[in-house]
Amino acid sequence: MNSEPEFPVTITCTKILESFTNKTSLLFRSRYWIDIVGGGSIFDARRVPSISIEDYVMRIRKLIACSDSCYISALLYLDRIVQKHRLYKITKLNIHRLFLTAMVISVKFNEDVYYNNEYWANVGGVKCEELNELEEEMLCLLDFDLHISKPKYRRYSKSMKLYYDKLISDTYAKDSGVESEDTADSSIDS
């Protein structure tokens, strides 16, 4: 997409994903919505995965060779869904599958060489048939619009860098006993 960012994208990505699951206002709707008693969407796991989102992202980073721009694009896709569909929140039950699916789509769209869905499913801990369904659903949620303009990508990447800088600043302030005036905002770019 563009030159690689000058900040640790994977770490920033995990912190943003963690913040997604902590904000109740981040919502999306799925055509696989089932009644309130039964649960959520096709992306929902039966129980919270035992692997943290941070370890999950690091696993993907270790086993999938792709550029940092794919991580940025995957987050942008999740943001698009969040802003367009507002009936279902991103939770600890679905963030792993959402991120995995966004990465599959991002890598296929942005990279010249990519892994097949069977390999991705193995890396992500889901069945290949399930990943195929997740990919189809996410593409529908995105209206098959995967293009990201260069200005939008630059703004998003810059917002992620600012988010990372804020995390570092807050961590430094916390470690040195100084209270921060505000906390890092999890909204990246509208």
Side-chain angles (χ1 to χ4, degrees):
M1 166 103 15
N2 288 313
S3 62
E4 293 300 308
E6 298 176 9
F7 63 96
V9 171
T10 310
I11 293 169
T12 308
C13 185
T14 63
K15 296 303 178 190
I16 291 169
L17 291 169
E18 287 170 358
S19 74
F20 275 0
T21 61
N22 294 329
K23 273 192 95 164
T24 57
S25 64
L26 298 175
L27 309 170
F28 75 97
R29 176 181 55 222
S30 168
R31 66 186 162 106
Y32 288 96
W33 183 258
I34 51 182
D35 72 80
I36 303 260
V37 175
S41 76
I42 187 173
F43 293 101
D44 285 346
R46 293 177 196 249
R47 61 184 176 277
V48 175
S50 59
I51 186 171
S52 70
I53 191 63
E54 180 176 3
D55 289 344
Y56 195 70
V57 172
M58 293 305 175
R59 176 180 168 79
I60 291 171
R61 177 59 133 199
K62 180 181 175 185
L63 298 174
I64 301 289
C66 67
S67 64
D68 284 345
S69 63
C70 290
Y71 289 85
I72 295 170
S73 296
L75 285 179
L76 230 157
Y77 294 153
L78 292 179
D79 257 355
R80 280 184 183 174
I81 291 169
V82 161
Q83 292 181 25
K84 185 173 183 174
H85 306 281
R86 299 204 173 263
L87 291 180
Y88 190 81
K89 62 185 172 182
I90 294 178
T91 69
K92 292 178 187 208
L93 288 174
N94 61 26
I95 192 65
H96 294 76
R97 284 184 171 95
L98 284 167
F99 183 70
L100 174 68
T101 309
M103 281 298 295
V104 168
I105 291 169
S106 179
V107 170
K108 286 182 178 181
F109 189 75
N110 291 301
E111 302 287 324
D112 292 330
V113 178
Y114 53 85
Y115 301 95
N116 63 33
N117 278 18
E118 189 171 328
Y119 182 76
W120 273 102
N122 203 16
V123 169
V126 298
K127 293 180 181 173
C128 187
E129 297 78 22
E130 180 182 8
L131 181 58
N132 292 339
E133 290 176 19
L134 296 172
E135 184 178 10
E136 180 183 355
E137 174 66 4
M138 185 168 285
L139 287 167
C140 289
L141 290 169
L142 292 166
D143 293 327
F144 292 84
D145 179 14
L146 304 180
H147 175 73
I148 300 168
S149 69
K150 286 183 182 182
K152 177 77 170 180
Y153 178 87
R154 279 190 226 109
R155 279 193 318 272
Y156 203 85
S157 182
K158 183 178 178 181
S159 293
M160 285 181 69
K161 168 130 178 42
L162 292 172
Y163 185 89
Y164 174 76
D165 291 345
K166 176 75 170 136
L167 287 172
I168 295 302
S169 173
D170 286 351
T171 301
Y172 174 75
K174 183 179 176 185
D175 290 346
S176 63
V178 178
E179 294 223 11
S180 174
E181 289 183 23
D182 54 55
T183 59
D185 182 12
S186 66
S187 84
I188 299 302
D189 186 19
S190 298

